Amino acid sequence: MVKKATKKEIDSIKSAFLTHYNNAVTELNYRNVYELVIAVALSAQCTDKRVNLITPALFEAYPTPYALAKANIEHVKSLIQSCSFFNNKAINLLAMAKRVVEIYGGEIPLDEKELVTLAGVGQKTAHVVLIEYTGANLMAVDTHVFRVSHRLGLSDDLTAIATEETLVKKFKSDLHQLHQGMVLFGRYICTAKNPKCDTECFLSQFCKSKDGFKPR
């Protein structure tokens, strides 16, 4: 079992993340909340780089929820086919757009309970959207945040949802910035394979394990 970080260590880790990633934002490209919801939904089990290659043509073809709600499903699939699970994602995108048009008058709701009623938008996606677009004091746990949390002894939970709850309790504030920082830290420094422990890591003194750690 990984040794847990102490209260003092947690405070130091939090401070370090806020210092190193004080202006961190998502690497997904978007121009409005409609595009952000789509980009985040597509990024599930797909890299941000891949999503950024896909979305320009998709956004040009369907610039609004109204346009997407009337889209031909096969055309949408053809635009996102290089993305993982593109069939299901295409179906969800159309269903999402139709609900936004029919229930919310074409406006993406900026409320968690409303967002998760949209097809393809679970708690993590809703939190990422609200963190990025509104700076909400929320945490979202992807594979990077999960791995970093466990390596630093911040969590020993087995699932992403449980890890999120633990991080919220331990960090309490500045969660939106901590989320963004932990994603980037996990993506480029505390990587799953060959983490840059000796060259770029600014948290090596707090590291409890170099295991891969994946949520169940």
Side-chain angles (χ1 to χ4, degrees):
M1 181 177 290
V2 176
K3 183 179 178 182
K4 292 186 178 181
T6 64
K7 176 65 167 61
K8 184 178 180 180
E9 287 176 328
I10 292 169
D11 290 342
S12 296
I13 290 168
K14 178 178 180 178
S15 178
F17 272 125
L18 294 177
T19 298
H20 282 80
Y21 298 104
N22 61 319
N23 294 313
V25 294
T26 183
E27 293 186 308
L28 292 169
N29 296 330
Y30 71 95
R31 294 170 295 187
N32 52 57
V33 68
Y34 160 70
E35 292 186 355
L36 177 61
V37 168
I38 291 176
V40 175
L42 289 175
S43 71
Q45 296 180 287
C46 186
T47 66
D48 286 4
K49 288 183 179 180
R50 170 57 53 189
V51 173
N52 287 337
L53 292 174
I54 293 170
T55 50
L58 181 65
F59 294 157
E60 181 177 0
Y62 306 107
T64 67
Y66 291 98
L68 185 57
K70 298 177 181 177
N72 176 280
I73 185 68
E74 296 304 322
H75 184 236
V76 173
K77 287 180 181 181
S78 71
L79 292 175
I80 67 170
Q81 64 182 339
S82 63
C83 186
S84 57
F85 305 104
F86 71 92
N87 282 305
N88 286 337
K89 288 179 178 179
I91 293 170
N92 284 334
L93 288 180
L94 265 66
M96 176 276 291
K98 289 176 181 177
R99 181 169 177 80
V100 169
V101 169
E102 295 170 0
I103 306 299
Y104 301 107
E107 298 292 329
I108 300 292
L110 291 174
D111 175 86
E112 182 180 348
K113 291 183 179 179
E114 303 295 336
L115 273 173
V116 296
T117 69
L118 304 179
V121 179
Q123 178 176 304
K124 187 187 80 171
T125 296
H127 282 195
V128 172
V129 169
L130 294 172
I131 287 167
E132 171 67 20
Y133 203 75
T134 72
N137 191 46
L138 296 169
M139 176 59 66
V141 176
D142 64 0
T143 56
H144 301 300
V145 176
F146 187 90
R147 181 175 63 255
V148 168
S149 299
H150 285 66
R151 282 179 172 172
L152 292 175
L154 298 171
S155 170
D156 59 3
D157 300 294
L158 300 179
T159 67
I161 293 296
T163 300
E164 176 192 308
E165 294 173 354
T166 295
L167 292 176
V168 170
K169 290 177 183 177
K170 291 186 175 180
F171 286 141
K172 296 182 176 63
S173 62
D174 301 300
L175 298 179
H176 68 294
Q177 206 62 58
L178 290 165
H179 162 76
Q180 304 283 30
M182 292 177 80
V183 169
L184 295 177
F185 180 71
R187 183 174 290 163
Y188 296 111
I189 298 176
C190 193
T191 51
K193 296 181 179 179
N194 303 314
K196 301 173 178 61
C197 306
D198 300 323
T199 56
E200 296 182 39
C201 184
F202 53 87
L203 293 171
S204 56
Q205 62 182 307
F206 304 111
C207 188
K208 311 298 184 186
S209 172
K210 294 182 181 180
D211 289 348
F213 296 112
K214 293 182 179 180
R216 289 185 179 177

